[in-house]
Amino acid sequence: MVFSSLFFLYGFLPVCMLLYAITPGIRRKNVVLILFSFFFYAWGEPIWVVLLIFSATQDYICGRVIGKARRVGSDRLAKAALIFSITTNLTLLGVFKYLDFFLENLGLVFRYSPALPGLALPIGISFYTFQTLSYTIDVYRGKVGVQKSFSEFLLFVSIFSQLVAGPILRYAELETQLRDRPFTWEGCAAGVTRFCCGLGKKVLLANTAGEIASGLLDGRLDTLPAADALLGILMYTAQIYFDFSGYSDMAIGLGRMFGFHYGENFRHPYYAVSIGDFWRRWHISLGLFFRDYVYIPLGGNRKRVVLSLLITWFLTGLWHGASWNFALWGLYYFLWLCFERWVLRLLPERAAKIAPMVYTFPAVVLGWSLFYFTDIGRLGAFLQSLFGQNGLAGTETLSLWVGRLPLLVICAVAAGPWPKRLAERVLQNPAFYPVLPVCYNSLTLLLSTAYLAGQSYNPFLYFRF
């Protein structure tokens, strides 16, 4: 089930909200959320609920073991429980997500055709695996307390608002909220507005841009002119941002409806002033996870900096998918960050400050081509088209750009900070509240419903992660 579906909007969510609102007591409310989360997750793949419960159970037990080992002074037992948690989680993730990829490449090396198991990828496994891992690691480090309530821990792992697309939540963020959070209609209303903002991003902007990108990038590339290729990758640039940030907004809004407060996952990344700044704004929860649990333990800024960066960005790329193009995408950013860290500082101070503002957005757009094309051959053909091998423009290029330019302008404005600033300024006037949010939510929901009812194109890019 996805947030941007008519069943979710007009069936699942209203029933869940009604039962949650009328159920007394935080423990009973938690049970309502757990049951609805299981239903949400099982909607497409019922069998994988078992895997979700197993992952939550084993990390709950590991956390309890680590806590008990700390009390009796047995560091060896605590370390064994941590190693078991890390090994089990990464093994499950590796088997379901990377086994076919590993066997395929092994076959290429040794020149044989392996029998691939072809396991289906459980939805959201990359997200909830990282969440449970962060819990056991933080318990071992003494940064969070041991969760003694299994139901509260199960809710932390399974809550449907962020289960399939993040943001990746740390247990420390929700530790107190799991057992004590206020449910207010004001908070619920604010959550509805945030949800509708994300719904509009996903349905009205990401889906529209994605259809255009697919039409240009999924066809023949050996005849695609440079201007058409540029339009296609710009549309994909818009699609992936509004798709993922839209889902993050919906997740944050849903959490707010139930009294949770999640951290922001995007901060206008396309207006970053350097590649480093871009990654402090894009998928913030993932970047922080790799920083705290991979980069810093490897040595971080203290020692083996290049090696730490290389491993971190290689793994960041592969986290997004079992394909070499994702690994190349991660290494692409590794090279850019090395450039900014050691080469850019050799330039005069003014040039070193201005240059990143010039190259950052083009570099990000070019990077999305590595992300889009999982087939390396098609990636090469696209890059040749983009850099002019098939000519600069075709017979339909002008009409294509004229027809799609308004959407590009809307996306450019919507990706910036100005809509949020304008809304905050307007809402400071009591005359506009709550009338304006109600009108905005109603219009966004109406337009999104009309789009979903009339269109079959409604992909969710981050389901594959």
Side-chain angles (χ1 to χ4, degrees):
M1 192 186 307
V2 295
F3 300 155
S4 56
S5 67
L6 295 178
F7 176 75
F8 179 85
L9 294 173
Y10 295 102
F12 178 90
L13 184 57
V15 174
C16 180
M17 283 299 307
L18 176 62
L19 290 178
Y20 184 85
I22 65 176
T23 300
I26 193 66
R27 291 185 178 181
R28 293 186 179 89
K29 287 182 183 295
N30 285 348
V31 172
V32 169
L33 283 182
I34 291 171
L35 293 176
F36 272 88
S37 295
F38 284 170
F39 179 81
F40 176 90
Y41 193 72
W43 179 256
E45 299 174 328
I47 187 62
W48 297 131
V49 173
V50 177
L51 183 64
L52 176 68
I53 295 174
F54 171 80
S55 181
T57 302
Q58 69 107 12
D59 283 307
Y60 168 77
I61 294 173
C62 286
R64 295 296 299 269
V65 171
I66 293 171
K68 184 175 182 179
R70 291 294 192 211
R71 289 196 300 273
V72 300
S74 176
D75 189 59
R76 180 177 297 180
L77 178 60
K79 187 173 293 186
L82 174 66
I83 292 173
F84 178 81
S85 172
I86 294 174
T87 303
T88 305
N89 279 293
L90 294 184
T91 298
L92 288 173
L93 185 62
V95 168
F96 283 101
K97 191 168 184 177
Y98 301 104
L99 182 58
D100 283 1
F101 175 68
F102 174 76
L103 293 176
E104 284 179 357
N105 285 277
L106 200 64
L108 290 175
V109 172
F110 292 101
R111 299 183 179 181
Y112 77 102
S113 298
L116 303 179
L119 296 173
L121 180 65
I123 294 171
I125 187 172
S126 296
F127 290 95
Y128 68 72
T129 298
F130 276 19
Q131 285 188 197
T132 57
L133 265 179
S134 69
Y135 166 74
T136 52
I137 294 172
D138 285 351
V139 169
Y140 180 80
R141 291 174 173 176
K143 292 186 175 181
V144 298
V146 176
Q147 175 57 262
K148 297 181 179 180
S149 169
F150 179 67
S151 63
E152 289 182 10
F153 187 76
L154 189 58
L155 178 61
F156 161 68
V157 177
S158 66
I159 185 168
F160 71 86
S161 57
Q162 54 77 50
L163 178 63
V164 297
I168 299 170
L169 299 177
R170 307 282 186 90
Y171 177 73
E173 298 177 63
L174 297 185
E175 184 174 9
T176 58
Q177 299 182 55
L178 291 169
R179 61 177 180 268
D180 182 24
R181 60 185 181 276
F183 173 75
T184 64
W185 290 112
E186 292 80 7
C188 185
V192 170
T193 300
R194 185 65 182 267
F195 178 87
C196 287
C197 177
L199 181 67
K201 282 184 177 182
K202 162 61 184 164
V203 175
L204 303 179
L205 295 180
N207 285 3
T208 305
E211 279 193 281
I212 298 170
S214 179
L216 290 167
L217 302 179
D218 291 347
R220 291 187 58 180
L221 298 173
D222 57 345
T223 58
L224 188 68
D228 294 16
L230 177 60
L231 179 62
I233 200 61
L234 284 174
M235 285 297 178
Y236 181 67
T237 298
Q239 180 194 12
I240 195 167
Y241 170 69
F242 288 110
D243 185 281
F244 193 25
S245 72
Y247 260 90
S248 292
D249 284 343
M250 285 188 275
I252 292 169
L254 287 169
R256 188 71 187 278
M257 291 182 207
F258 300 113
F260 291 100
H261 291 265
Y262 304 156
E264 294 295 331
N265 211 23
F266 290 85
R267 289 195 178 94
H268 317 297
Y270 290 158
Y271 287 83
V273 295
S274 69
I275 297 297
D277 186 38
F278 172 79
W279 277 104
R280 287 187 289 272
R281 297 163 175 256
W282 177 277
H283 201 169
I284 297 168
S285 61
L286 179 68
L288 292 176
F289 182 93
F290 274 103
R291 183 198 69 183
D292 294 342
Y293 300 105
V294 179
Y295 179 68
I296 292 177
L298 285 172
N301 295 329
R302 296 176 288 106
K303 56 183 179 180
R304 301 188 299 270
V305 178
V306 175
L307 180 61
S308 299
L309 279 173
L310 176 62
I311 294 173
T312 299
W313 285 99
F314 180 76
L315 293 177
T316 300
L318 277 184
W319 179 87
H320 287 83
S323 177
W324 284 116
N325 70 296
F326 294 115
L328 289 174
W329 180 73
L331 294 176
Y332 171 81
Y333 278 107
F334 159 73
L335 293 175
W336 270 115
L337 291 169
C338 287
F339 170 79
E340 291 188 345
R341 193 181 188 105
W342 289 289
V343 178
L344 197 61
R345 65 175 60 181
L346 300 177
L347 298 177
E349 183 178 351
R350 184 172 179 81
K353 186 176 181 179
I354 294 176
M357 300 179 187
V358 176
Y359 67 66
T360 296
F361 183 71
V364 169
V365 173
L366 183 62
W368 288 133
S369 64
L370 300 175
F371 200 90
Y372 186 88
F373 293 100
T374 56
D375 184 288
I376 300 299
R378 286 187 61 80
L379 171 61
F382 170 78
L383 292 175
Q384 290 176 344
S385 299
L386 184 64
F387 289 102
Q389 178 169 298
N390 305 321
L392 296 179
T395 55
E396 299 181 358
T397 297
L398 182 61
S399 60
L400 276 173
W401 273 90
V402 170
R404 277 71 179 176
L405 190 58
L407 178 60
L408 281 177
V409 172
I410 291 172
C411 288
V413 173
W418 308 286
K420 182 179 179 181
R421 291 174 183 172
L422 178 62
E424 290 174 347
R425 181 170 298 180
V426 169
L427 292 179
Q428 288 176 355
N429 188 332
F432 292 104
Y433 187 84
V435 176
L436 188 62
V438 170
C439 293
Y440 170 80
N441 295 340
S442 301
L443 180 61
T444 301
L445 187 60
L446 178 64
L447 293 175
S448 298
T449 300
Y451 182 98
L452 293 172
Q455 298 288 333
S456 59
Y457 185 85
N458 187 32
F460 174 36
L461 301 182
Y462 271 69
F463 259 161
R464 64 184 176 188
F465 307 143

